[in-house]
Amino acid sequence: MNITGTIDRPATHDPMKQVPTMTPSVSDTPARDTSGATESRQNRTREMQLIPEALARAHMHERLQEAESQRSAVRLAAARRMQRRAERASLRARRALAMAVMQ
Protein backbone atom coordinates (compact mmCIF):
# COMPACT_ATOMS: atom_id res chain seq x y z
CA MET A 1 0.00 0.00 0.00
CA ASN A 2 1.60 3.23 -1.18
CA ILE A 3 0.38 6.25 0.77
CA THR A 4 1.13 9.50 -0.97
CA GLY A 5 0.52 12.91 0.42
CA THR A 6 0.12 16.34 -1.04
CA ILE A 7 2.37 19.34 -0.79
CA ASP A 8 0.20 20.79 1.95
CA ARG A 9 -0.20 17.46 3.76
CA PRO A 10 2.79 15.20 3.17
CA ALA A 11 2.49 11.56 4.12
CA THR A 12 5.44 12.03 6.45
CA HIS A 13 7.13 14.99 8.01
CA ASP A 14 10.59 13.45 7.66
CA PRO A 15 12.20 15.19 4.65
CA MET A 16 14.35 12.12 3.90
CA LYS A 17 11.28 9.87 3.49
CA GLN A 18 9.24 12.24 1.31
CA VAL A 19 8.79 11.67 -2.40
CA PRO A 20 11.38 13.77 -4.30
CA THR A 21 8.72 15.40 -6.49
CA MET A 22 6.89 16.61 -3.44
CA THR A 23 9.77 18.66 -2.06
CA PRO A 24 10.00 21.87 -4.06
CA SER A 25 13.46 22.98 -4.96
CA VAL A 26 14.72 26.35 -3.80
CA SER A 27 14.78 27.73 -7.34
CA ASP A 28 11.11 26.76 -7.95
CA THR A 29 9.73 28.63 -4.98
CA PRO A 30 9.84 32.41 -5.25
CA ALA A 31 11.01 34.25 -2.19
CA ARG A 32 8.07 35.93 -0.52
CA ASP A 33 8.22 39.15 1.41
CA THR A 34 6.36 38.23 4.58
CA SER A 35 7.48 41.14 6.75
CA GLY A 36 4.25 43.06 6.10
CA ALA A 37 2.09 39.99 6.62
CA THR A 38 3.88 39.14 9.86
CA GLU A 39 3.52 42.70 11.12
CA SER A 40 -0.16 42.74 10.14
CA ARG A 41 -0.71 39.42 11.89
CA GLN A 42 1.04 40.72 15.02
CA ASN A 43 -1.08 43.89 14.98
CA ARG A 44 -4.23 41.82 14.56
CA THR A 45 -3.16 39.55 17.42
CA ARG A 46 -2.36 42.57 19.61
CA GLU A 47 -5.75 44.10 18.76
CA MET A 48 -7.49 40.82 19.59
CA GLN A 49 -5.70 40.70 22.93
CA LEU A 50 -6.74 44.29 23.69
CA ILE A 51 -10.44 43.74 22.89
CA PRO A 52 -11.36 42.54 26.42
CA GLU A 53 -9.49 45.49 27.89
CA ALA A 54 -11.35 47.91 25.61
CA LEU A 55 -14.67 46.27 26.50
CA ALA A 56 -13.87 46.52 30.20
CA ARG A 57 -12.91 50.18 29.78
CA ALA A 58 -16.18 50.93 27.96
CA HIS A 59 -18.12 49.03 30.62
CA MET A 60 -16.44 50.99 33.43
CA HIS A 61 -17.08 54.27 31.59
CA GLU A 62 -20.76 53.36 31.29
CA ARG A 63 -20.92 52.43 34.99
CA LEU A 64 -19.27 55.72 35.99
CA GLN A 65 -21.78 57.65 33.86
CA GLU A 66 -24.61 55.73 35.54
CA ALA A 67 -23.24 56.41 39.03
CA GLU A 68 -22.79 60.11 38.25
CA SER A 69 -26.36 60.42 36.95
CA GLN A 70 -27.64 58.63 40.07
CA ARG A 71 -25.65 60.96 42.31
CA SER A 72 -27.03 64.02 40.53
CA ALA A 73 -30.58 62.63 40.83
CA VAL A 74 -30.07 62.06 44.57
CA ARG A 75 -28.68 65.61 44.97
CA LEU A 76 -31.65 67.03 43.05
CA ALA A 77 -34.16 65.12 45.22
CA ALA A 78 -32.40 66.30 48.39
CA ALA A 79 -32.40 69.91 47.13
CA ARG A 80 -36.14 69.73 46.41
CA ARG A 81 -36.81 68.31 49.89
CA MET A 82 -34.79 71.09 51.52
CA GLN A 83 -36.57 73.70 49.38
CA ARG A 84 -40.00 72.42 50.50
CA ARG A 85 -38.82 72.36 54.12
CA ALA A 86 -37.54 75.94 53.82
CA GLU A 87 -40.83 77.07 52.25
CA ARG A 88 -42.79 75.51 55.14
CA ALA A 89 -40.49 77.15 57.69
CA SER A 90 -40.89 80.49 55.92
CA LEU A 91 -44.68 80.11 55.96
CA ARG A 92 -44.61 79.28 59.70
CA ALA A 93 -42.43 82.32 60.36
CA ARG A 94 -44.84 84.56 58.43
CA ARG A 95 -47.80 83.20 60.35
CA ALA A 96 -45.99 83.69 63.65
CA LEU A 97 -45.09 87.26 62.69
CA ALA A 98 -48.69 87.97 61.62
CA MET A 99 -49.98 86.55 64.92
CA ALA A 100 -47.47 88.69 66.86
CA VAL A 101 -48.50 91.85 64.99
CA MET A 102 -52.21 91.22 65.48
CA GLN A 103 -51.94 90.89 69.29
Side-chain angles (χ1 to χ4, degrees), residues 38-80:
T38 304
E39 186 176 325
S40 171
R41 210 172 299 119
Q42 286 174 347
N43 285 341
R44 212 174 323 134
T45 302
R46 193 173 304 121
E47 287 172 12
M48 293 294 283
Q49 288 172 346
L50 294 178
I51 285 174
E53 185 179 332
L55 284 172
R57 193 176 295 118
H59 188 70
M60 285 303 298
H61 181 70
E62 187 178 323
R63 290 284 180 239
L64 286 171
Q65 293 276 352
E66 236 176 77
E68 183 59 36
S69 69
Q70 273 186 336
R71 278 193 294 267
S72 65
V74 167
R75 282 195 300 263
L76 181 63
R80 284 184 179 157

Side-chain angles (χ1 to χ4, degrees), residues 5 8 13 20 24 44 52 82 92 95 99:
D8 292 334
H13 292 288
R44 212 174 323 134
M82 288 190 288
R92 278 195 305 269
R95 283 183 188 149
M99 295 291 267

Side-chain angles (χ1 to χ4, degrees), residues 8-27:
D8 292 334
R9 295 179 182 267
T12 178
H13 292 288
D14 185 8
M16 298 305 287
K17 292 182 181 175
Q18 287 182 6
V19 180
T21 57
M22 287 183 54
T23 56
S25 67
V26 178
S27 62

